[in-house]
């Protein structure tokens, strides 16, 4: 067996990291689009123009009597169901995607149909997937309306006057919360009455530990999860998603790796091959087959929403090799992981090796750590996802992935990569969850939207949730409209209302980029808040927001693709209404707005970036692309407004995590089918962007040297809104009264920001003094 390990000196890695942008620019130069006619052309519609009329129902703000809508919103706020939870209705506009007639096998993922064959125990080489892309394998099944499954929970609450502590977790009992079979009125309106058969234990648990996490309600989450359709027919909730997460009160430093770690890890792997008798080498968790219930070893579980772990193999007493699932209907994209681990010992270092990652490099080599959630910590009042792990490194290993092209050519497949890290768990016999990044589930988004709708001020804020379309898996893809209610019903005020420019935002087209959802969460919470700047923004713009473009991929734990096995952000040129319905109908809505002369003034697609630090924008510029490629430019033919850079410059000043120097406005050939480029070329949106957020941390400014957390990501979402307001003042048509109001508010905002910066800096400094040695994961 040939060994193919990647090993670099730490100094070489640092140098490579410093020169990473230069290398990237060279690659982009070869990929730049230099055909001026193609850059400037406006392609024809990809569908009959008559189809656009169906999107009229998604723009009711342009045609409705808003006094009636206002009255209806007030009525909805006052109406309650039997449990005291406000109800709402949801408008289904677009028909469902073509039905999928296949049925799932026993509620599990069928590896012969919709997953690649798992890495085999001996060779760890996947078998070719034989499913045709045009026929997705399974129809995810909605929970039956007449079944109720009791909720299981191992926690026994005890009365204490001074603390709300719990007895230790019972051994050998899963702490997962099972989803009750839901009595759903429809897939968009899961009323809570009878939706979940919560056990008395859960009820008592929630009574003793009332939820105080903003925009999260455990019972509502359970109800929404009961209406979520998945391929494995998930009936279990991961505890962090059910219980909720609070932002850490402090920031965590970028992890400093010892120079000797990469070589040491690689030599240990080589020794395992040379001396196989020194390893235990037994499968203790198998998602689709029998597992070994061995004593004195960790227990693993991943059969819950967004979960991804295929196999766990115990190699030594405290060392485990982990294998991830590929995306549904593909044989690749193994990067996202999210799983439960339990039955651990205290004060014991456990090493985890995820051995089938596919990206050639990762921020795990430059200070990034996985995240962990402890159930015991959560029940003691610290429900946090926290960065954990030491001796973290990422390197090429000796395993290979067998691809279809390689098998046909009779050659070896692509190399696999190992992510290795060591964790000391905070408690004995705890139940903990480990993930690539802070998880954000589809059910969590749906419950948050429900709460946001009920907490807004309907007299001031127009908020409408509609269904853009049904996904391939049968889940509704929500479309949100947010703006300010008209001042009055006068024709003048209604005309001003309808004349507001559109801003279109969307996120999570790639399921593994959960940071995009946290940024979107910050955007939504700010836009619907009572903040004066948010109120002014609502008066300036009509926001059309699609918070999750790939619900099926998120639900089923994919890294990049939808159920059809497609990277949806490469399908914008000619999306299929059957295989890529969310892209098809989003593009149709944009076409419709353009046909009315109302193309958005700003379009932004929220993403996550695995190779870079900070937050930054990708945009589109003909001149910059041609200049970078070294092409001569005829300025009489190519004219361009430089306004596409304005938003990035504004965000560089107002958002601590944003870095202008990382922004890029080049148009690459390989990106011609992405949302950013298609919306720029076909819809004619000058300010069409992809906003990339790091998985790791920041290299400049207030957060320099710290890993990014959910608080910083949500803040970025709010600061993006502030950037839109400044953009409105700088370069977009704006009424005098709006300009005067915005100027006064921004002065106040600047003063508040200075105070926050001073306070945050002192907080970060104090945190540095309380940081412990690597094995200790909880601060203060």
């Amino acid at each position: 067996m040939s060994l193919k390990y990647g090993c670099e000196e730490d100094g070489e890695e640092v140098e490579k990291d410093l020169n990473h942008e230069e290398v990237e620019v060279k690659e982009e130069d070869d990929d730049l689009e230099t055909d001026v006619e193609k850059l400037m052309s406006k392609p024809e519609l990809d569908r009959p123009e008559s189809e656009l009329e169906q999107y009229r129902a998604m723009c009711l703000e342009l045609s409705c009597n808003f006094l009636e809508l206002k009255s209806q919103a007030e009525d909805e706020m006052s109406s309650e169901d039997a449990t005291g939870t406000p109800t709402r209705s949801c408008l289904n506009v677009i028909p469902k995607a073509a039905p999928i007639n296949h049925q799932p096998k026993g509620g599990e993922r069928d590896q012969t149909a919709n997953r690649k064959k798992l890495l085999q125990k001996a060779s760890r080489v996947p078998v070719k997937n034989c499913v045709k892309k045009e026929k997705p394998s399974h129809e995810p099944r909605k929970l039956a309306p007449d079944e109720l499954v009791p909720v299981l929970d191992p926690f026994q609450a005890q009365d204490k006057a001074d603390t709300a502590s719990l007895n230790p977790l019972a051994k050998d009992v899963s702490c997962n919360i099972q989803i009750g079979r839901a009595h759903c009125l429809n897939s968009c309106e899961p009323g809570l009455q009878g939706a979940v058969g919560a056990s008395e234990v859960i009820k008592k648990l929630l009574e003793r530990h009332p939820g105080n996490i903003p925009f999260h309600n455990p019972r509502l989450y359970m109800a929404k999860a009961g209406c979520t359709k998945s391929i494995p027919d998930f009936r279990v909730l991961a505890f962090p998603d059910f219980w909720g997460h609070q932002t850490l009160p402090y920031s965590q430093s970028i992890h400093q790796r010892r120079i000797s770690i990469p070589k040491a890890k690689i030599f240990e792997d080589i020794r395992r091959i040379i001396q196989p008798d020194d390893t235990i080498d037994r499968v203790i968790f198998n998602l689709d087959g029998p597992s070994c219930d061995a004593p004195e070893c960790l227990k693993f579980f991943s059969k819950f929403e967004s979960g991804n772990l295929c196999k766990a193999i115990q190699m030594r007493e405290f060392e485990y090799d982990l294998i991830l699932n590929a995306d549904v209907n593909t044989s690749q994209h193994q990067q996202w992981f999210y799983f439960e681990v339990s039955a651990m010992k205290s004060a014991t270092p456990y090493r985890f090796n995820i051995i089938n990652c596919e990206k050639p490099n990762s921020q795990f080599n430059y200070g990034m750590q996985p995240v962990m959630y402890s159930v015991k910590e959560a029940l003691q009042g610290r429900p946090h996802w926290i960065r954990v792990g030491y001796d973290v490194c990422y390197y090429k290993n000796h395993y290979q992935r067998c691809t279809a092209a390689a098998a046909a050519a009779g050659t070896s497949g692509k190399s696999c990569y190992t992510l290795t890290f060591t964790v000391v768990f905070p408690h004995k016999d705890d139940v903990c969850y480990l993930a690539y990044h802070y998880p954000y589930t589809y059910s969590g988004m749906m419950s948050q939207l429900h709460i946001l709708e009920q907490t807004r001020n309907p007299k001031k804020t127009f908020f409408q949730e509609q269904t853009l379309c049904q996904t391939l898996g049968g889940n509704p893809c929500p479309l949100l409209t947010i703006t300010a209610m008209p001042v009055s019903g006068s024709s003048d005020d209604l005309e001003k209302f309808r004349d507001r420019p559109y801003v279109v935002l969307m996120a999570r087209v790639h399921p593994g980029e959960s940071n995009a959802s946290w940024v979107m969460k910050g955007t939504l919470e700010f836009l619907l808040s009572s903040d004066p700047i948010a109120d002014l923004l609502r008066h300036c713009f009509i926001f059309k927001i699609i918070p999750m473009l790939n619900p099926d991929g998120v639900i089923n734990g994919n890294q990049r693709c939808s159920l059809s096995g497609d990277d949806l952000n490469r399908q914008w040129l000619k999306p299929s209404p059957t295989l890529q319905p969310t892209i098809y109908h989003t593009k149709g809505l944009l076409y419709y707005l353009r046909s009315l002369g109302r193309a958005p003034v700003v379009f932004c697609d929220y993403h996550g970036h695995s190779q870079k630090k900070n937050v930054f924008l990708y945009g589109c510029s003909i001149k910059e692309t041609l200049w970078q490629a070294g092409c001569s430019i005829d300025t009489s033919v190519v004219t361009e407004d430089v306004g596409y850079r304005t938003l990035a410059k504004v965000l560089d000043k107002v958002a601590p995590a944003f870095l202008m120097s990382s922004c890029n406005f080049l148009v690459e050939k390989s990106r011609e089918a992405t949302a950013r480029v298609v919306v720029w070329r076909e819809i004619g949106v000058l300010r069409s962007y992809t906003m990339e957020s790091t998985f790791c941390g920041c290299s400049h400014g207030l957060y320099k040297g710290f890993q990014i957390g959910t608080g910083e990501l949500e803040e970025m979402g709010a600061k993006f809104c502030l950037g839109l307001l400044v953009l409105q003042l700088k370069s977009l048509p704006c009424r005098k009264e709006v300009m005067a109001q915005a100027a006064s508010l921004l002065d106040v905002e600047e003063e508040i920001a200075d105070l926050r910066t001073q306070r945050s800096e002192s907080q970060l400094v104090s945190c540095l003094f309380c940081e412990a040695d690597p094995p200790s994961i909880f601060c203060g």
Side-chain angles (χ1 to χ4, degrees):
M1 180 183 294
S2 61
L3 301 182
K4 296 185 179 180
Y5 281 100
C7 181
E8 295 174 323
E9 291 290 344
D10 194 64
E12 292 176 350
E13 288 183 353
V14 172
E15 183 179 354
K16 184 177 179 179
D17 191 34
L18 292 173
N19 295 329
H20 183 67
E21 291 186 15
E22 181 182 342
V23 172
E24 203 169 65
V25 168
K26 289 179 181 178
E27 292 174 352
E28 287 170 347
D29 288 352
D30 296 333
D31 188 33
L32 294 179
E33 180 58 71
T34 56
D35 186 339
V36 177
E37 290 187 6
K38 196 169 184 180
L39 286 170
M40 300 184 66
S41 66
K42 301 295 181 186
E44 297 295 325
L45 284 174
D46 64 359
R47 66 199 74 194
E49 190 172 353
S50 58
E51 280 192 16
L52 300 183
E53 192 60 25
Q54 66 181 320
Y55 300 101
R56 178 190 296 272
M58 296 184 184
C59 299
L60 299 179
E61 65 278 359
L62 297 179
S63 58
C64 285
N65 184 328
F66 281 89
L67 290 179
E68 291 181 7
L69 280 176
K70 187 175 181 180
S71 175
Q72 179 186 350
E74 291 171 350
D75 291 342
E76 287 180 0
M77 286 295 291
S78 61
S79 66
E80 296 185 352
D81 65 11
T83 63
T85 301
T87 60
R88 63 176 173 80
S89 62
C90 181
L91 178 64
N92 286 289
V93 178
I94 305 299
K96 291 184 179 181
I100 311 167
N101 297 321
H102 304 278
Q103 295 297 324
K105 288 186 179 181
E108 297 296 331
R109 305 182 188 205
D110 179 8
Q111 298 300 320
T112 63
N114 74 334
R115 284 275 188 194
K116 72 173 184 65
K117 283 290 187 180
L118 306 180
L119 292 174
Q120 299 300 313
K121 184 65 192 70
S123 64
R124 310 276 168 83
V125 177
V127 178
K128 175 183 176 182
N129 186 331
C130 60
V131 176
K132 292 183 179 180
K133 191 177 279 189
E134 288 75 20
K135 295 183 179 180
S137 322
H138 295 310
E139 178 180 10
R141 187 164 64 87
K142 185 178 178 179
L143 300 181
D146 56 349
E147 277 186 89
L148 286 178
V149 177
V151 175
L152 303 180
D153 195 282
F155 312 120
Q156 301 297 323
Q158 61 183 17
D159 292 316
K160 283 192 177 183
D162 56 343
T163 179
S165 62
L166 298 171
N167 284 333
L169 294 171
K171 288 186 177 181
D172 302 324
V173 181
S174 170
C175 77
N176 293 298
I177 312 302
Q178 289 199 358
I179 306 172
R181 297 291 180 172
H183 294 282
C184 297
L185 301 180
N186 57 52
S187 62
C188 294
E189 187 184 355
L192 293 184
Q193 60 272 25
V196 175
S199 70
E200 290 301 316
V201 175
I202 284 292
K203 291 179 181 178
K204 290 179 181 179
L205 185 67
L206 293 174
E207 287 172 2
R208 293 175 181 272
H209 299 266
N212 58 354
I213 297 174
F215 305 106
H216 182 77
N217 181 314
R219 290 186 177 89
L220 178 61
Y221 184 92
M222 293 174 74
K224 295 293 184 180
C227 292
T228 296
K229 300 178 182 180
S230 61
I231 284 180
D233 189 22
F234 293 130
R235 298 178 60 188
V236 172
L237 298 182
F239 189 87
D241 304 323
F242 161 76
W243 195 252
H245 155 78
Q246 282 182 330
T247 299
L248 272 178
Y250 57 90
S251 296
Q252 294 182 267
S253 297
I254 288 177
H255 178 63
Q256 299 298 317
R257 189 182 66 192
R258 288 181 290 163
I259 294 177
S260 59
I261 289 301
K263 281 186 176 179
K265 297 296 183 184
I266 290 171
F267 284 137
E268 287 178 21
D269 284 0
I270 293 173
R271 190 182 71 181
R272 290 192 336 188
I273 297 171
I274 297 173
Q275 299 174 336
D277 293 340
D278 291 345
T279 61
I280 299 172
D281 203 21
R282 63 181 172 187
V283 177
I284 60 170
F285 171 75
N286 188 345
L287 184 66
D288 298 288
S291 302
C292 175
D293 191 15
E296 301 299 318
C297 69
L298 294 177
K299 299 182 185 299
F300 294 84
F301 188 80
S302 65
K303 297 177 185 178
F304 48 78
E305 186 175 345
S306 293
N308 188 355
L309 178 65
C310 178
K311 280 187 180 181
I313 305 163
Q314 187 179 23
M315 301 304 294
R316 296 191 178 94
E317 184 178 6
F318 302 115
E319 181 178 353
Y320 297 83
D321 280 2
L322 308 179
I323 300 174
L324 305 179
N325 284 299
D327 284 3
V328 175
N329 279 321
T330 78
S331 60
Q332 56 185 336
H333 305 303
Q334 300 100 323
Q335 207 75 19
W336 169 261
F337 59 89
Y338 181 20
F339 58 88
E340 175 196 290
V341 59
S342 58
M344 64 282 293
K345 298 180 179 179
S346 60
T348 301
Y350 288 90
R351 177 182 171 183
F352 299 98
N353 309 307
I354 300 177
I355 63 173
N356 67 328
C357 299
E358 71 167 14
K359 291 195 174 183
N361 203 355
S362 170
Q363 280 291 306
F364 283 117
N365 275 337
Y366 309 112
M368 178 178 165
Q369 294 170 286
V371 296
M372 189 189 79
Y373 188 104
S374 161
V375 172
K376 279 193 174 181
E377 287 290 317
L379 296 176
Q380 292 172 9
R382 295 181 291 276
H384 305 304
W385 281 103
I386 186 169
R387 301 276 188 169
V388 298
Y390 62 98
D391 290 354
V392 182
C393 61
Y394 188 95
Y395 55 89
K396 183 166 68 174
N397 58 39
H398 65 287
Y399 304 127
Q400 292 181 333
R401 292 183 294 111
C402 180
T403 63
T411 59
S412 58
K414 294 182 179 180
S415 297
C416 290
Y417 295 81
T418 293
L419 165 64
T420 182
F421 56 93
T422 301
V423 173
V424 176
F425 295 101
H427 303 285
K428 179 183 179 182
D429 292 328
D430 195 358
V431 178
C432 294
Y433 293 79
L434 291 167
Y436 179 82
H437 195 68
Y438 308 100
Y440 191 99
T441 63
Y442 171 78
S443 298
M445 178 197 68
M446 296 300 285
S447 63
Q448 186 210 13
L449 294 181
H450 188 104
I451 295 170
L452 282 172
E453 182 179 15
Q454 308 307 325
T455 55
R456 82 194 192 284
N457 184 345
K459 295 181 179 180
K460 291 186 175 182
T461 305
F462 175 71
F463 175 87
Q464 186 177 39
E465 179 183 343
Q466 297 171 283
T467 296
L468 174 73
C469 63
Q470 297 288 329
T471 67
L472 212 58
N475 294 292
C477 178
L479 167 69
L480 313 177
T481 304
I482 300 173
T483 190
M485 295 295 287
V487 177
S488 71
S490 68
S491 58
D492 185 51
D493 284 336
L494 286 177
E495 184 178 355
K496 290 179 181 178
F497 175 89
R498 296 188 181 107
D499 284 344
R500 294 171 188 166
Y502 277 91
V503 170
V504 175
L505 307 176
M506 61 188 198
R508 208 67 184 277
V509 70
H510 292 146
E513 296 169 5
S514 59
N515 43 2
S517 282
W518 289 101
V519 177
M520 180 58 77
K521 180 175 184 285
T523 294
L524 291 174
E525 289 177 7
F526 182 79
L527 283 179
L528 291 168
S529 71
S530 58
D531 189 293
I533 290 180
D535 184 58
L536 186 57
L537 268 169
R538 294 192 294 265
H539 280 88
C540 288
F541 299 107
I542 298 174
F543 291 89
K544 291 288 184 183
I545 299 176
I546 305 167
M548 192 172 284
L549 263 176
N550 190 353
D552 294 338
V554 172
I555 292 165
N556 291 285
N558 283 6
Q559 165 66 25
R560 197 168 182 86
C561 297
S562 64
L563 291 191
S564 62
D566 294 313
D567 179 345
L568 293 182
N569 200 39
R570 297 296 188 274
Q571 304 298 323
W572 279 78
L573 281 176
K574 290 187 177 180
S576 163
T578 302
L579 294 181
Q580 301 101 28
T582 61
I583 306 302
Y584 183 85
H585 293 300
T586 301
K587 190 176 180 183
L589 176 60
L590 290 166
Y591 272 143
Y592 177 71
L593 291 175
R594 188 189 70 171
S595 72
L596 300 177
R598 303 296 301 276
V601 293
V602 174
F603 170 87
C604 192
D605 184 12
Y606 293 6
H607 281 253
H609 203 290
S610 64
Q611 298 293 325
K612 288 187 175 182
K613 293 181 172 64
N614 310 301
V615 181
F616 48 92
L617 290 179
Y618 288 141
C620 301
S621 165
I622 298 176
K623 285 189 174 181
E624 286 198 34
T625 302
L626 295 177
W627 283 334
Q628 184 66 45
C631 299
S632 58
I633 302 172
D634 184 352
T635 55
S636 64
V637 177
V638 179
T639 58
E640 188 170 60
D641 184 349
V642 295
Y644 63 87
R645 278 183 165 265
T646 306
L647 182 59
K649 292 178 180 178
V650 171
L651 291 175
D652 192 55
K653 295 182 181 298
V654 303
F658 194 88
L659 185 61
M660 177 67 187
S661 61
S662 291
C663 295
N664 187 321
F665 301 94
L666 305 178
V667 181
E668 301 94 340
K669 297 174 185 177
S670 61
R671 302 293 191 271
E672 68 172 352
T674 62
R676 163 179 63 99
V677 176
V678 170
V679 172
W680 172 71
R681 285 185 62 215
E682 296 190 26
I683 311 299
V685 179
L686 170 69
R687 299 172 180 84
S688 178
Y689 305 108
T690 297
M691 184 162 69
E692 300 277 2
S693 299
T694 181
F695 285 94
C696 181
C698 295
S699 61
H700 84 294
L702 177 62
Y703 303 139
K704 181 178 180 179
F706 291 93
Q707 296 186 77
I708 202 160
T710 57
E712 289 78 23
L713 292 169
E714 291 181 45
E715 178 193 56
M716 185 64 234
K719 293 298 184 183
F720 183 84
C721 297
L722 177 59
L724 290 175
L725 181 59
V726 178
L727 174 69
Q728 171 84 326
L729 298 176
K730 281 181 170 288
S731 58
L732 300 175
C734 191
R735 299 193 308 274
K736 289 183 178 179
E737 59 268 26
V738 172
M739 290 188 69
Q741 186 180 357
S744 61
L745 284 175
L746 290 175
D747 286 341
V748 174
E749 178 73 13
E750 189 173 351
E751 293 177 8
I752 295 173
D754 289 341
L755 290 174
R756 287 175 179 165
T757 298
Q758 294 171 12
R759 189 178 301 118
S760 298
E761 285 175 341
S762 63
Q763 188 179 27
L764 294 181
V765 170
S766 65
C767 180
L768 289 173
F769 288 99
C770 70
E771 287 197 347
D773 293 331
S776 180
I777 61 171
F778 288 95
C779 177

